């Protein structure tokens, strides 16, 4: 299984640190050329490799860590997303999507991909920190309309040291972790720990 993080701002870098902590290889890309990202990627760890956006999108699993709205530009890069898993770590701050939740719009843009909402409810500092605290594991909430897509993302979350909690479909439990304009789900920014994974 290959992984890529698209977007190398605070959230993208925090996620890269989570991969580096467990020595899991991940490519990182953004609108900037790979040479611009390479020093920062290298400083995080040797398993974090800066690459072009097109090359990053060859990964099996892509974590979307771009500002909401920019997902459309990323989606246009590949003609087909079939066989890909896209983890939507975006939040629609200051945006007013026509439909709720915002992940439904992201799913629509990535036609054919298996979309899972995840890693979006924690601030960057919490995502970057060691998820194992006093014997407990920091929780990440996952939601998807594709039940089969959630299992491998939950396995990745566990591999990274987090405790995945499945919330069900996007418009049901997933609405608890969506930040959209002025409507915030009650689980946004809740730093929760689970005693056992």
């Amino acid at each position: 299984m290959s992984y890529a993080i698209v977007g190398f701002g605070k959230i993208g870098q925090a996620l890269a640190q989570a991969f580096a902590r467990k020595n899991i290889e991940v490519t990182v890309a953004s609108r900037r050329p790979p040479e611009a990202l390479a020093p920062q990627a290298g400083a995080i760890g040797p398993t974090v490799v800066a690459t072009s956006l097109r090359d990053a999108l060859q990964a099996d699993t892509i974590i979307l860590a771009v500002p909401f709205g920019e997902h459309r530009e990323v989606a246009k890069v590949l003609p087909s997303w079939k066989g890909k898993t896209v983890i939507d770590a975006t939040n629609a701050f200051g945006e007013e999507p026509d439909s709720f939740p915002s992940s439904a719009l992201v799913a629509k843009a990535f036609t054919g991909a298996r979309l899972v909402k995840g890693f979006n409810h924690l601030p960057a500092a919490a995502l970057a920190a060691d998820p194992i605290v006093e014997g407990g594991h920091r929780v990440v909430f996952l939601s998807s309309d594709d039940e089969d897509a959630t299992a491998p993302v939950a396995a990745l979350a566990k591999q990274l040291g987090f405790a995945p909690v499945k919330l069900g479909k996007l418009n049901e439990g997933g609405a608890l972790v969506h930040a959209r304009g002025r409507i915030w789900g009650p689980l946004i920014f809740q730093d929760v720990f689970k005693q056992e994974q």
Side-chain angles (χ1 to χ4, degrees):
M1 188 67 70
S2 55
Y3 303 103
I5 299 166
V6 174
F8 206 51
K10 287 181 183 174
I11 296 293
Q13 289 177 42
L15 286 163
Q17 286 174 19
F19 276 85
R21 192 179 299 111
K22 296 293 183 177
N23 290 315
I24 301 168
E25 192 164 304
V26 64
T27 56
V28 296
S30 79
R31 287 175 301 185
R32 294 183 292 156
E35 314 80 70
L37 308 181
Q40 240 167 342
I44 293 172
T47 59
V48 180
V49 180
T51 187
S52 70
L53 180 57
R54 190 167 286 284
D55 286 348
L57 297 180
Q58 299 310 306
D60 304 309
T61 300
I62 293 127
I63 304 176
L64 202 55
V66 296
F68 182 81
E70 287 185 22
H71 68 275
R72 294 179 198 93
E73 292 308 308
V74 176
K76 289 176 188 170
V77 176
L78 292 185
S80 169
W81 289 88
K82 200 168 169 55
K84 304 274 184 197
T85 297
V86 174
I87 302 172
D88 178 17
T90 68
N91 284 307
F93 296 125
E95 301 255 353
E96 292 295 335
D98 298 333
S99 61
F100 185 81
S102 59
S103 286
L105 296 180
V106 177
K108 196 174 173 183
F110 290 86
T111 311
R114 296 152 52 127
L115 185 114
V116 178
K117 184 78 173 178
F119 296 97
N120 70 299
H121 83 282
L122 290 170
L127 265 181
D130 190 338
I132 300 167
V133 178
E134 294 174 22
H137 295 261
R138 181 170 274 120
V139 166
V140 290
F141 297 110
L142 305 175
S143 55
S144 179
D145 290 342
D146 183 340
E147 231 173 88
D148 294 338
T150 310
V153 176
L156 170 63
K158 277 188 177 183
Q159 210 180 342
L160 294 174
F162 293 94
V165 172
K166 297 175 190 174
L167 296 178
K169 293 190 179 293
L170 293 172
N171 66 346
E172 299 164 358
L176 299 172
V177 291
H178 282 269
R180 169 187 175 255
R182 290 176 296 281
I183 304 165
W184 287 22
L187 295 179
I188 280 284
F189 301 136
Q190 298 303 308
D191 200 0
V192 180
F193 293 87
K194 198 172 174 188
Q195 208 51 42
E196 291 175 18
Q197 270 197 300

